[in-house]
Amino acid sequence: MAIAREAGAEILSVDSMQVYRGMDIGTAKPTPAERAEVSHHLVDLADPEEVVTVADVQSHGRRVIEQLGSAETPVLIVGGSGLHFRALVDPLEFPPSDAALRQRLESLGDDEAVAALLRADAAAGEVVDLANPRRVTRALEIHELTGRTPSDRAARPEAAAVRSYTPLVPLVAVGLDPGGALRHRVTNRFDRMLEAGLVDEVAGLADRLGSTARNAVGYRQLVPVVAGEWTLDEGRRRSIDATTALSRRQRTFFRRDPRIRWIEWDDDVTALTRSARTVFEEAGWTS
C-alpha cells in the first residue's frame, strides 16, 4: 500500500482465494477503506460456488496489465500464488481439458497409459515424468484434444521462455524472506483472524464453498469445526500447520525465480518499504 501510494500504482492480486466473494477474513483481503484508496484487481471476481482457474486469472490479469500499461499506470502484482504470478508475467499456456476423456484415460492401467504416450511420442520420457500417472494422463489428454505431443510442446519458444524465466512484460520483482519466526507469525496472524470472526465467516459460507474455495487453507480446516466434527483447538492447530507448510512451499517456489531480489524480514514495515524502494530504484523504476 505504501509503495502504491508513492508510485500512483494499482494493485493486482495473485492470491488464489481472494478472487472469491465473502472469503474476506481468512484470505486477509484488503479492507474496503484500502480498496477505496488504492484500486485492487482480481479481488471478488466470483462467488465461492464457482471454480476460478489459473487460466481465468491469466485472462483477467493480462487485460488489467494491458489497460493500465496503456494509461502508463504502474502495476504492483502482489500475493502468494507462484503459479498465478507466472501465468500473468510469463508465456504459460493452459491446454484444454475434458472430464469424460480424463475419466477414460484414468481407467487405463499405468503401464498401458505409458505405452500409449510413448506410441504417440517416443521422446515423451524426456519431458514427462513417466512414473507419475497424473502427468502421463494429462499428457495423453492434451495430445488427444490438441494433437500436440509433449515433445512438440516443450520445443515451442513459449516453453523455452518459461524455462528461462523470460517475461512477457518488463518487471522488477521483490521477495520478502519469511525469516526464522515464520510459525510464530503465522500463529499470531491466524489467532487475529479467529478474533475477527473467521469461524462465523466459515459457518456462513460452508454450504456455498465449491471444490476450489473449499480447499483454501484455514477454511478447509474450519469446515469440520462448524460441522461439529472437530474441536476449535483441533481446527486451529491444523490450520496453523497447513498455513506454515504452504508458506514454506511458496518460498521454495519463488526462490527458483532468478528475477526476484530478496529482502530480509523486518517487523518494521517502514524499513521493508524502504528496502523495496531501493530495489526498484536500482532497477531504474523511480516513478
Side-chain angles (χ1 to χ4, degrees):
M1 285 293 292
I3 293 170
R5 292 187 195 102
E6 292 178 6
E10 297 189 11
I11 291 175
L12 183 55
S13 167
V14 287
D15 184 295
S16 63
M17 294 299 163
Q18 288 187 356
V19 297
Y20 293 111
R21 300 182 190 100
M23 296 175 66
D24 302 334
I25 299 171
T27 66
K29 194 175 289 181
T31 65
E34 289 170 334
R35 293 166 68 180
E37 182 181 1
V38 174
S39 292
H40 285 67
H41 303 273
L42 299 188
V43 174
D44 289 347
L45 281 184
D47 290 327
E49 297 92 339
E50 301 176 59
V51 173
V52 178
T53 66
V54 182
D56 295 329
V57 169
Q58 182 184 68
S59 176
H60 283 280
R62 287 186 178 177
R63 283 201 299 271
V64 171
I65 292 172
E66 183 178 352
Q67 291 165 0
L68 294 182
S70 63
E72 297 186 351
T73 300
V75 182
L76 288 182
I77 301 176
V78 179
S81 172
L83 182 59
H84 289 65
F85 166 67
R86 295 208 67 189
L88 292 189
V89 303
D90 294 326
L92 281 176
E93 296 182 320
F94 298 96
S97 61
D98 180 277
L101 173 60
R102 173 69 67 89
Q103 186 174 15
R104 175 171 67 79
L105 294 172
E106 288 175 344
S107 69
L108 299 175
D110 291 350
D111 291 343
E112 186 180 359
V114 169
L117 182 60
L118 291 175
R119 283 195 300 272
D121 181 3
E126 297 177 12
V127 291
V128 176
D129 180 2
L130 299 182
N132 186 323
R134 184 176 61 84
R135 294 187 183 277
V136 171
T137 298
R138 179 59 175 151
L140 283 170
E141 180 186 25
I142 294 169
H143 177 250
E144 291 208 21
L145 290 173
T146 68
R148 290 162 57 188
T149 67
S151 296
D152 292 338
R153 294 169 52 224
R156 289 169 61 85
E158 293 84 357
V162 170
R163 290 193 296 270
S164 64
Y165 291 89
T166 303
L168 292 168
V169 293
L171 64 87
V172 181
V174 177
L176 305 184
D177 193 289
L182 176 61
R183 186 177 179 86
H184 176 69
R185 293 206 313 278
V186 167
T187 298
N188 288 342
R189 179 175 181 263
F190 192 75
D191 284 342
R192 290 197 300 272
M193 290 178 174
L194 291 176
E195 293 170 2
L198 180 57
V199 174
D200 289 339
E201 180 174 278
V202 174
L205 292 170
D207 294 335
R208 301 180 53 208
L209 296 174
S211 58
T212 302
R214 182 171 291 272
N215 281 317
V217 171
Y219 294 84
R220 182 172 71 246
Q221 292 77 20
L222 290 184
V223 165
V225 172
V226 301
E229 299 168 4
W230 292 352
T231 65
L232 178 57
D233 284 346
E234 177 74 2
R236 173 183 176 274
R237 180 184 64 78
R238 289 178 181 247
S239 296
I240 291 168
D241 287 346
T243 304
T244 303
L246 174 62
S247 298
R248 288 174 175 154
R249 290 196 302 273
Q250 288 173 328
R251 181 183 185 275
T252 298
F253 185 100
F254 282 115
R255 276 286 181 181
R256 298 190 189 108
D257 192 330
R259 299 168 296 192
I260 298 177
R261 289 276 302 278
W262 289 90
I263 297 173
E264 290 187 10
W265 181 260
D266 195 313
D267 289 328
D268 183 351
V269 175
T270 301
L272 282 177
T273 304
R274 185 166 53 247
S275 297
R277 188 189 303 113
T278 298
V279 173
F280 291 137
E281 290 173 350
E282 289 176 352
W285 184 47
T286 56
S287 63

